[in-house]
Amino acid sequence: LAKTTQPISMDSYEGQEVNITCSHNNIATNDYITWYQQFPSQGPRFIIQGYKTKVTNEVASLFIPADRKSSTLSLPRVSLSDTAVYYCLSHGSSNTGKLIFGQGTTLQVKP
Amino acid sequence: GAVVSQHPSRVICKSGTSVKIECRSLDFQATTMFWYRQFPKQSLMLMATSNEGSKATYEQGVEKDKFLINHASLTLSTLTVTSAHPEDSSFYICSANPGWGHKNIQYFGAGTRLSVL
């Protein structure tokens, strides 16, 4: 079973900021939170990873509150090309650890 | 970032034939690779963990004799769908992690669309 819960779908308009929240109530002390993006008929692509507080890169920001039971992926000023499925995963840091994907959030960006 | 190459991107075969899918880590070595299957409008389902130099570890419900995995080198894992049937038609994706410092960030291949007639 996936260890995270996300909204099934979200709609937005071009130029808006989109925030996708993920719940991981049973996150383990050593677990990281990683977000992936998947376009149709492609493999997932790494977006961002964090452990606590806030992480920002050129694509997105990730906000993680102190209790780490949830996290929010923030996409600034989305465009039509950001329409995709976004997956949130919590997992250990071992490089041989398997990832269990949940349903993900289908983001539809409208013109 | 790390690059994982998957080949072929699409394959169409007749029922009863076997199909081999290759997954290569192009700029790093991977002792472990993962194979997923994804049906339309569904999430990725982990099939197996491919271990270099040893047997693969299969998830519950995945037939190891049907989905043969070979990880003969640190840059190549192969998935062979044996005696394929229409119900095996799906999108197969592999992933790998470059190792130290990447905190299990997986890099995925582009996927292989298998259609069994």
Side-chain angles (χ1 to χ4, degrees), chain A residues 5-6 24 48 74 80 91 95 97:
Chain A
T5 304
Q6 309 170 231
H24 25 82
I48 197 167
S74 181
L80 296 176
H91 58 82
N95 295 318

Side-chain angles (χ1 to χ4, degrees), chain B residues 18-80:
Chain B
S18 294
V19 174
K20 180 184 286 187
I21 303 170
E22 293 186 346
C23 180
R24 294 181 185 273
S25 54
L26 297 187
D27 51 1
F28 64 96
Q29 295 181 332
T31 57
T32 303
M33 293 184 176
F34 300 91
W35 287 96
Y36 299 82
R37 181 166 55 179
Q38 185 174 33
F39 293 107
K41 303 295 184 182
Q42 294 187 23
S43 183
L44 285 77
M45 184 190 78
L46 180 66
M47 299 176 65
T49 303
S50 175
N51 304 300
E52 188 268 336
S54 64
K55 292 182 179 180
T57 305
Y58 291 83
E59 295 299 303
Q60 189 174 6
V62 178
E63 301 175 58
K64 62 179 182 181
D65 294 331
K66 181 167 187 62
F67 299 100
L68 300 180
I69 292 173
N70 184 276
H71 195 151
S73 79
L74 288 171
T75 59
L76 174 64
S77 175
T78 60
L79 169 68
T80 301

